[in-house]
């Protein structure tokens, strides 16, 4: 093999290796129209950092689409609280929820933060609210296994955090 052929072969191998590495580490994005309704509604609001995670792995066999909404200022956090229906609460209940440490979870009607839970289980999304960090996670449930896996993972995480603090 001539020096020129050897150099071209080495260059080709480097390009292939580089392409494989780039594919592995390049962030994958989902087209806007394939993101959740909630993501589409909140993605352009000032003070709210919206993210959509397609097929977030919960355990070995369960994946779920998740929308994350994080308020970057107090005005945006008030908007998210109002979206969750907190404005309809009595002032003392609202204050308790805002000062409560930890993550609260509830079911809401699919696609709308302010709608109450639907009587048909799979017409709901699971919402996790972290008031301390001003983050709301909306899990798009498509089967009851997802709900059970999320709850079990959350309980495991709570147990692990308590053991670490001791």
């Amino acid at each position: 093999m001539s020096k020129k052929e050897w150099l071209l072969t080495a260059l080709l191998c480097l390009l292939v290796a580089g392409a494989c590495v780039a594919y592995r580490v390049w962030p994958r994005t989902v087209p806007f129209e394939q993101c959740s309704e909630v993501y589409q509604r909140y993605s352009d609001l000032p003070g709210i950092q919206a993210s959509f995670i397609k097929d977030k792995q919960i355990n070995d066999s369960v994946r779920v689409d998740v929308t994350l909404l994080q308020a970057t200022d107090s005005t945006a956090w008030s908007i998210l609280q109002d979206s969750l229906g907190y404005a309809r609460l009595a002032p003392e209940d609202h204050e308790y929820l805002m000062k409560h440490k930890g993550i609260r979870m509830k079911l809401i009607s699919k696609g709308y933060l302010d709608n109450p839970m639907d009587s048909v289980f799979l017409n709901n999304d699971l919402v996790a609210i972290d008031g301390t960090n001003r983050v709301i996670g909306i899990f798009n449930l498509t089967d009851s296994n997802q709900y059970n896996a999320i709850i079990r993972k959350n309980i495991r995480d709570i147990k692990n955090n308590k053991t670490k603090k001791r």
Side-chain angles (χ1 to χ4, degrees):
M1 188 183 318
S2 73
K3 189 175 184 179
K4 196 175 194 180
E5 289 174 334
W6 185 88
L7 191 58
L8 283 173
T9 303
L11 183 60
L12 183 62
C13 288
L14 283 174
L15 284 173
V16 169
C20 289
V21 168
Y23 174 77
R24 191 86 167 116
V25 298
W26 200 271
R28 285 148 182 82
T29 57
V30 177
F32 184 77
E33 55 279 350
Q34 291 180 18
C35 294
S36 70
E37 294 174 41
V38 174
Y39 173 83
Q40 291 177 15
R41 197 172 308 120
Y42 288 90
S43 64
D44 289 331
L45 288 180
I48 296 177
Q49 187 176 26
S51 305
F52 179 75
I53 304 166
K54 181 115 179 108
D55 293 331
K56 165 81 173 126
Q57 187 167 358
I58 304 300
N59 63 27
D60 291 342
S61 60
V62 176
R63 294 179 178 274
V64 63
D65 293 346
V66 183
T67 302
L68 296 173
L69 304 174
Q70 181 168 22
T72 58
D73 59 41
S74 57
T75 303
W77 184 235
S78 291
I79 290 169
L80 288 177
Q81 290 175 51
D82 290 346
S83 296
L84 288 164
Y86 287 1
R88 296 187 299 260
L89 295 174
E92 59 275 6
D93 293 336
H94 183 268
E95 186 176 337
Y96 169 77
L97 285 173
M98 291 304 92
K99 291 183 177 180
H100 178 75
K101 301 290 182 202
I103 297 174
R104 295 177 308 283
M105 298 181 108
K106 70 178 192 172
L107 290 171
I108 58 164
S109 185
K110 199 168 280 300
Y112 297 95
L113 294 179
D114 60 344
N115 286 355
M117 180 176 115
D118 193 290
S119 59
V120 177
F121 181 74
L122 290 179
N123 288 344
N124 295 298
D125 289 331
L126 177 63
V127 176
I129 305 156
D130 179 356
T132 305
N133 296 308
R134 298 178 175 175
V135 176
I136 298 172
I138 301 101
F139 297 86
N140 180 20
L141 301 176
T142 56
D143 69 60
S144 58
N145 290 332
Q146 293 170 321
Y147 175 82
N148 295 331
I150 293 165
I151 297 298
R152 277 194 300 271
K153 182 178 180 348
N154 195 26
I155 291 170
R156 243 187 341 268
D157 290 349
I158 290 169
K159 281 182 178 178
N160 289 340
N161 286 340
K162 283 188 177 184
T163 344
K164 286 179 186 176
K165 288 181 181 178
R166 288 184 186 171

